[in-house]
Structures are given as C-alpha cells and as structure tokens.
Amino acid sequence: MGTFYVSTPIYYVNDLPHIGHVYTTVLADTVARYRRLRGDRVFFVTGTDEHGQNIERTATAKGISPQEQADAVVSRYHRLWEELGISHDDFIRTTEPRHHAAVAAVIRRIEAGGDLYVDRHEGWYCASCESFYTEKELVGEKACPVHEKPAEWQSEENLFFRLSRYQQPLLELYERQPDFVRPETRANEVKSFVASGLRDISVSRAGGGWGIPFPDRPGQTVYVWLDALTNYLSALGFGGDEAAAYESFWNGGAGPRLHLMGKDILRFHAIWWPAFLMSAGLPLPTGIAAHGWWLRDEKKVSKSVGNIVRPDALMRDFGPDALRYFLLRDMVFGQDARFSDEAFLDRFNSDLANDLGNTVSRLVKLSRSAFGGRTPPEACGENPLIAKAEEAVAEYHRAMEGLEFHRAMTGLWGLLSEVNGYLVAREPWKLIKSEGGSTSVSRILWNALEGVRIVAVGLLPAMPQVAPRVLAALGAEAAPDGLEAMAWGGLPLDVELPAVEPLFPRIDKEAYLAGDPPPAPPAADVSGEDMITIEEFFKIRLRVGTVVAAERIPKSDRLLKLDVDLGDEQRTVVAGIAEQYEAEGLVGKQVVLVANLKPAKLMGVESQGMVLAASEEGRPVLLHPAEPVADGTAVK
C-alpha cells in the first residue's frame, strides 16, 4: 500500500463558492476516493486563501473585518463540501497559526539560499488575480486578460525572489518528467513561457495590510501567492512540531503528490511553486494538472465577470451526485466546457433517469417477479457480457489514472448499453411468462444484474451517495472494500432483493426551465411491498447511552464529536447537530445510538455509530428516553 497526496487550490474568500470551485473539488474527491479504493493511503487537502488586498476591499465595502468576511465564506464551504460528500482529510485556512509557521519556515529556507533581495517593484496589477501583468499581456484599455477589469499601476519597494535563477532547472524538470504538467497542451504553454525568459518576482507588499508579516522585515507583508502556495505543506504540519503527515505524504519516499487546479492559476503552480521549493531545498510535487473553465455566455464563470452558477439549487432539486456526475461527464479534462441548465437536464434524463435508473428498476422487478423477491439462484459461466465488462473495467482504470474522467464515465455507460442490448436480444420478460424462474431466465438476469453491479462499483468514487444505493438495490454489498469488486462474479446468488425505489425520477425539462420545481420523490408504498419484516428491523441494534464528553469538530460548523457510554464500552460518534445544540449542554444527556452501523470517517474523526434525531423542517431534534435507563439498554 502506497501513499497518495491530492490537493485543490485554496479558494479565495471574497465571495461564496460557485460551480468552478465545486468542479475542482469534486475532481479531487473523485481521485481521492478512487485511490483509497485501489488501496493507497490518501491525504486530500482543500481550504481557503484569506489574505490580500481584495479581501480587505470586499470586507470594507460590507463594513466588516477581513476575518469576519473570511469566517462567513468558510462556513459556507464547510456546509457545501459536507452536502457534496467531499472526503477531504484537512481543510487549511491561511489565517491559521500552523500555516503562518510553515510560511515563515519556507521563507527562511529561501533566504538562506540567497534567493531574496530588496528592489523597487513597478507594474500593472490585477487585484482579483493578485498578480502583475506586463503591458503586452493586458487586453483592451490596460485590462486584466482574465477578468477584463482595468489593471492598476503600482510602484513600491519590495522583497524579490530570484525566479530567473531557476529558468534552466525548471526546463530540465519538464524534460525529465514529461507528465509533470498535464494535459500536454498546458505543459507546452508552460515550457514556452519559461523558455522565453523568467524575470524575478516580488514576494512582499509594503505597508502591512491584511496578510502575514514578512519574517524579519518590518513593514512588509508576504505576497499572497508565496503565502497561498505554502498551504500544500502547512496542511501536512511542515514548520510545526507535528509533521508526521509531511514525512509520510511529501518528504522522502512519499508517493505521488498531485495538485489539481483551473488553468488560470497554472503558471503560479507549475513555475513559481517548484522554483520556491527548489530554492528551499524541499521535494517537489510529482504532478500539476490544470482543467479548463466552465463557460457561460462564452466567458469563464466567475464573480468578477458576473455570470456565477451557484450549485445550491441544482443540488436541492436533483441531489449532489447528479451534479457530480454531470461535471465529471461533460468536461473533457483540460478543455473548456459550456454550462447550461438545458445540458444538465438532458444528461440527467438520458444518463441517470433512463440508462441507469430504468435499467436497475427493470432488472430488480424482473428478478423479484421470477424468483420470489430474490436474486437469481444460478449464474452463467460463459456469456458475451464477461468480455465486455473486462474491457470496460480496463478502460475505466486507464481513464481514471489519466484523469480522463469523462472517458471513465463513458466507459461505464458503454457497459450499461451492452447490458441493455443483451436484455433486448434475449427478452427475459417473455421467457418469465412461459418458463417462470427457469435456469435460462436465472442466467440471463444474473448476467445483466452483474454487469450493472460492476458499473455501480466503478461509480463509487464519482457518486458516493448513489452508488451504494444502487449496489444495495441489486442485492450486492453496498460498500465493497476495494475496486477488486469490479471483477466479474461478485453478485450473490439467491439473496433477498428489496423492492427498488426510483433512483432518478425523469424531469419535465420544459416545465422545470419555466420555473416549476421537479416532482418530489415518490412516497413509500405502504401497501406491503416496501414494508420491512420484523426480522429486518431486529438487524438494527439500538442502544441507550450517556454522553460523557462533547466538543465541536474544528473547521466544521455542523459537526459535534460525542463520547457515548454504552455501559460495557464507550463509542465516539460524529453528529451533524452543532447548529442546534451546544456541546457542553449535551454532557450527561442520554441518547439513542445505532450501534451496529459501519464506522465512517468524518472530518478526520471515525464515527462509531449514529445518534437518532427527529427532523423538523430539516432541524434535528435528539431522541431521549422518557426516564433514565441503564447505559447499554436495548431499544426494541
């Protein structure tokens, strides 16, 4: 088992997250989940960039402090990442003391190498980019080429970094590691830029301001890019007393170290960052991967341009996994893609409602009908779907390793198409009428269910909430240990097959675009088919316990960590109730715990159960026994 490090850029807190931030983070989460399922020990970091003139200006315009501006936006990031199922191991903020310590440590190393000097800095500055541009790079009336807003001429005395010294070492790096920058088109851009000549860069700003004071340089503040890029080390504990993660995931014999980002900040990551690290004598990342922009009205989606796409409504109406799938499927990594509600709805209806949802529903109903509510009792050792599945799985792994997420999704849907073609050719619905649950029917339906099961396993990194539901609906293990489960032959024979609920109800596109909300999910059928048996209920172990300690989980507005005494043992449970309950007020209270739930890691804390709560308009209300009972008492 190796290690794997993956990061998003840290996001600027001048405004709330939009679809561009969501896209990068979903990519990184998909990579992290895929690598964990392949057996790697993963460190996945994201976070926020909270310093700089732009933050000061935004906060001043609102009449609040820069820290208040940062805190408000960060809380929204935490909620959004939780809703999307983002499985990051750390969330770094540049206002944290551990980050300041890492920045100071990097700067001292760079200064010891003789790569800092004082000079006057003049140039055209874009506050939105936090970057200087040459006059040749400006567009229109001296406007930023990214945000198309007027750049400002600035002149001040700063500390400079000898970037020019690293022109040749960088070119040698690109030659030695051809895939250091991906995709190839971006690598060529970077090489061309470096080969044309590098100028030294300013790494401080005069006059203090909202940022980290430059070590041993009164009146100077660390320039935000030197500040921000260091987050990739500070999240690992570099520069502090606890640097075990740095040693495991970055230093020495650590495995791949991948940075994911949008193409607009590639230069800083592929040129400045490795140069800073070379100067500091620190290991480099092993890969820089830059994706394209989501476009709306032919322009990059961004606050500055004013064409923001917020994810909230799409997630509310269609679920987070539908959005995740669309983003992964519709953008070719490295190229731009156009975002539209019409394209999202088309993909939802075609791929999710029809291809995936209808196929699962049809197969489950056929199998339940033929085999008394169970999976087929007999498999088939030789059939054309086996070779198709093996080809699809091999292509899936190649695509995921190569960050070609659209190809990985296309390959899985290709296998779904093969399954549907297999069914159409054999018409098991007709055979059931004439043969009932015959051997032939069993083999046909088992093959088709097995093909869909393999697709669902492959979807675990991309659709972490829906894929387990699909697996459970097929009678398979909802949370397999790894992607070895994509091998043919994993569907259990003759096990109970619950009635399936619609995964993705088809949407009336015209009605939705006209403003009508999508239909609510269908109510549970209480006529008997969807009701559980008493045996199924007794599989759930509910026990009463007393909260003996409670505390907020750092960097989360919603989560509390509870230590619950169950009499014969103590469990740690993570509960999303921090917005309704104060931690100290829960100590001594009895709660009802689901005691046989598989452990899950949330914000780095392993939760060993779940406390029960009623939901009143989305507000959790904890359940307590009417009178005290012994800890560990079973609830029946």
Side-chain angles (χ1 to χ4, degrees), residues 292-334:
W293 290 339
W294 283 99
L295 304 176
R296 198 161 201 169
D297 304 323
E298 302 305 315
K299 292 183 179 180
K300 175 197 175 189
V301 170
S302 76
K303 173 183 178 289
S304 301
V305 175
N307 60 349
I308 289 294
V309 178
R310 300 284 187 211
D312 306 70
L314 292 173
M315 290 171 56
R316 178 197 67 223
D317 292 342
F318 304 99
D321 277 11
L323 177 61
R324 288 175 64 118
Y325 174 76
F326 173 77
L327 295 175
L328 292 166
R329 177 64 182 81
D330 266 47
M331 179 181 276
V332 176
F333 190 89

Side-chain angles (χ1 to χ4, degrees), residues 543-548 563-571 590-591 593 595 629-634:
R543 299 175 68 188
V544 175
T546 297
V547 179
V548 295
D563 291 329
V564 181
D565 186 357
L566 294 176
D568 57 350
E569 63 174 316
Q570 189 166 300
R571 297 279 191 93
Q590 286 198 310
V591 294
L593 186 76
V629 298
D631 288 334
T633 299

Side-chain angles (χ1 to χ4, degrees), residues 148-181:
E148 299 181 4
K149 288 188 171 184
E152 304 171 2
W153 179 261
Q154 290 192 0
S155 176
E156 60 184 35
E157 192 172 84
N158 299 146
L159 282 125
F160 277 72
F161 172 72
R162 300 184 193 278
L163 183 63
S164 57
R165 177 181 286 181
Y166 293 92
Q167 178 174 333
Q168 192 56 37
L170 285 169
L171 291 173
E172 291 170 1
L173 168 66
Y174 308 146
E175 183 69 25
R176 188 170 64 250
Q177 293 179 233
D179 61 348
F180 181 75
V181 178

Side-chain angles (χ1 to χ4, degrees), residues 7 9 24 232 259-263 265-266 269-270 288-292 333:
S7 72
T24 314
Y232 302 125
H259 296 316
L260 286 164
M261 74 218 60
K263 64 181 182 180
I265 55 174
L266 175 61
H269 284 81
I288 308 288
H291 62 74
F333 190 89

